Amino acid sequence: LAREVHRSQRRPGRLVVMMMDLDDFKNVNDSLGHPAGDDLLIEVSHRLLACLGDYDMAARLGGDEFAIILDSAATVKDAERTAAHILHEVGRPIRLGDNDVVVGASIGIAFGDARTIEAEELERDADLALYRAKSLGKNRFTIFETEMHIDAVRRMELTGELRRAIELRQLDVAYQPIVSLETGAIAGVEALARWHHPTRGTIPPDVFIPLAEETGLIAAIGRLILGKALADARRWHDEHPAHLTLRVAVNLSARQLGEDDAVTDVADALRSTGIDPQTVIIELTESALMPGEGVTVDRLTELSELGVHLFIDDFGTGWSSLQRLRALPVGGVKLPREFVTELPGPDGVGLARAVRDLTTTLGLESAVAEGIERPEQRLALRQLGYRLGQGFLLGRPMPAAELARVLRLTPSCGWDAPAGSEPAITLE
Ligand code: C2E
Ligand code: MG
Ligand code: MG
């Protein structure tokens, strides 16, 4: 690469460097064994070489990572065409023993020109583009842009600060009430992570949770949130006898659940706080349930055997198979805000009804509606048979101390009152 960079400084034309990474290689190794993984890498190498011209170069850097130097690409279009061709070829089924295996690949592309000085620069740019291709959903190529570099620097800074925030316990938990749609009585709370940054203000979980997952900090954050949430809930049970069965819902992401210690962490938090596991809900996103995300049925079973309830968050926005759902120890689902927002429009009604029917068919305990902002939405949900919900209309996420005040002022309601036990409502 250094030689090519050197040559390109004196020669018109572009130097193209690609970094390629297989998308689900680990699955192949895990499920079919390492010899099969080796065979797959060899076949991928053959296909890769077949896509390249005589003066192009390909190398395996290690694991499932490849680097490509294109000598024959005259234009950006040429490079894109080659990348698309490689993705197509690598993505065709590969015969391994008795199995046809499909692996996708992601490619990052960087262009060098007469101004490029260091080979490392090009490598880094291609790596950043690869990283972006992966985060955009894999099985695609992405061309480096300068702004990716800025992103990377910002991400690095933020990661350092997040690490410090965990040590200093600057991460906190906000609680959003889950209430009876009919009476407003409180059945539970959802614990939502908050990062109070000393200079940047409050950083939302949508930003720092994915960052924590990428950098492996998620396990530490998970333990922190679990510990705080379960301790708070335990205290509320003790201090507010009326709310003895108040449930606390904690979010666990797929990456988090994939960590070896995930179940132990939950068990430890249960033990050290002494909370009744029946009052604890673990919310998992649909993607956590998909095969191949590192979360096995065994792991979910172990988790549910601790006595906690498993709920699927944002149900209907992912890709879980109904067949699989039936086999898993799932207790309930959350109707996502995206659907509730559509209420009382016909699409929203259709979606909310479909989720309700499905939970009934699957024999799930409950469906909790999320993101209720307007009275019409609350009414529509009640008419559709939803008992419990959360949203800004019913209560915003709030600090623990404030929730304690709410508990003092609000009656409690059980999680699973039998259907029909509350008065029927009529349309106005
Ligand atoms: P989620 O689990 O679906 O949480 C619901 C989100 O909707 C929360 O955002 C909540 O503040 C927001 N929300 C509730 N009611 C309304 C409403 O009426 N209108 C609108 N517009 N929004 C409403 P938040 O706290 O920013 O959390 C975002 C996501 O971050 C969560 O989505 C969850 O996936 C993730 N998250 C939060 N805390 C944790 C955590 O401790 N661990 C993990 N792994 N993920 C977390
Ligand atoms: Mg949630
Ligand atoms: Mg949700």
Side-chain angles (χ1 to χ4, degrees), residues 132 146-156:
R132 176 64 59 91
T146 326
E147 131 277 333
M148 293 178 189
H149 181 225
I150 299 166
D151 269 10
V153 171
R154 200 174 297 135
R155 231 181 0 248
M156 234 168 56

Side-chain angles (χ1 to χ4, degrees), residues 190-192 249-252 283-285 313-314 334 370 390:
E190 177 171 9
L192 296 160
V250 181
N251 296 282
L252 284 198
E283 290 190 12
L284 307 165
T285 52
D313 209 350
D314 303 329
K334 308 273 294 255
E370 274 194 276
Q390 63 191 99

Side-chain angles (χ1 to χ4, degrees), residues 172-174 176 190-194 203-210 213 218 221-222 225-226 249-254 256 283 285 313-314 334 336-338 340-341 370-374 377 390-397:
D172 196 9
V173 188
Q176 184 174 35
E190 177 171 9
L192 296 160
R194 292 290 178 265
I203 300 176
D206 291 337
V207 171
F208 72 84
I209 296 286
E213 291 184 337
I218 192 69
I221 294 186
I225 303 294
L226 264 170
V250 181
N251 296 282
L252 284 198
S253 60
Q256 210 170 337
E283 290 190 12
T285 52
D313 209 350
D314 303 329
K334 308 273 294 255
R337 184 175 75 220
E338 287 85 341
V340 171
T341 307
E370 274 194 276
I372 305 167
E373 292 181 350
R374 302 199 312 269
Q377 294 168 340
Q390 63 191 99
F392 293 167
L393 177 73
L394 308 159
R396 293 194 172 247

Side-chain angles (χ1 to χ4, degrees), residues 86 106 333 395:
I86 293 172
S106 302
V333 305

Side-chain angles (χ1 to χ4, degrees), residues 309-325:
H309 306 266
L310 303 188
F311 271 55
I312 302 176
D313 209 350
D314 303 329
F315 181 72
T317 59
W319 299 95
S320 58
S321 102
L322 298 180
Q323 176 65 18
R324 192 168 157 83
L325 208 55

Side-chain angles (χ1 to χ4, degrees), residues 99-319:
N99 301 289
D100 274 326
V101 174
V102 178
V103 289
S106 302
I107 297 179
I109 308 177
F111 294 95
D113 54 29
R115 277 166 305 153
T116 308
I117 311 174
E118 302 276 5
E120 286 79 15
E121 231 180 295
L122 267 182
E123 256 187 276
R124 186 205 62 201
D125 291 355
D127 259 335
L128 286 174
L130 169 62
Y131 175 86
R132 176 64 59 91
K134 289 236 178 237
S135 61
L136 286 176
K138 304 179 177 178
N139 200 20
R140 69 183 67 218
F141 64 82
T142 305
I143 294 175
F144 172 77
E145 289 160 29
T146 326
E147 131 277 333
M148 293 178 189
H149 181 225
I150 299 166
D151 269 10
V153 171
R154 200 174 297 135
R155 231 181 0 248
M156 234 168 56
E157 283 173 8
L158 215 52
T159 305
E161 290 169 352
L162 182 56
R163 189 165 285 128
R164 221 163 317 128
I166 298 170
E167 280 160 18
L168 299 176
R169 306 201 128 229
Q170 276 170 0
L171 294 186
D172 196 9
V173 188
Y175 296 94
Q176 184 174 35
I178 299 174
V179 306
S180 157
L181 294 178
E182 190 212 341
T183 63
I186 188 163
V189 292
E190 177 171 9
L192 296 160
R194 292 290 178 265
W195 178 7
H196 304 293
H197 191 283
T199 55
R200 294 177 208 258
T202 301
I203 300 176
D206 291 337
V207 171
F208 72 84
I209 296 286
L211 188 71
E213 291 184 337
E214 285 163 25
T215 51
L217 292 172
I218 192 69
I221 294 186
R223 278 191 289 274
L224 201 105
I225 303 294
L226 264 170
K228 284 198 180 192
L230 268 48
D232 281 340
R234 171 67 209 263
R235 194 159 26 79
W236 293 326
H237 293 161
D238 290 347
E239 291 173 5
H240 307 270
H243 296 282
L244 206 56
T245 59
L246 180 87
R247 285 200 191 175
V248 60
V250 181
N251 296 282
L252 284 198
S253 60
R255 188 70 68 83
Q256 210 170 337
L257 200 57
E259 301 268 336
D260 289 338
D261 293 336
V263 176
T264 319
D265 287 347
V266 177
D268 286 349
L270 289 171
R271 196 171 328 106
S272 69
T273 56
I275 192 171
D276 174 4
Q278 283 291 318
T279 62
V280 176
I281 294 172
I282 301 292
E283 290 190 12
L284 307 165
T285 52
E286 270 185 278
S287 58
L289 304 177
M290 272 169 49
E293 287 300 313
V295 181
T296 58
V297 177
D298 284 354
R299 177 144 310 172
L300 293 170
T301 308
E302 279 171 44
L303 201 53
S304 86
E305 278 169 356
L306 297 175
V308 301
H309 306 266
L310 303 188
F311 271 55
I312 302 176
D313 209 350
D314 303 329
F315 181 72
T317 59
W319 299 95

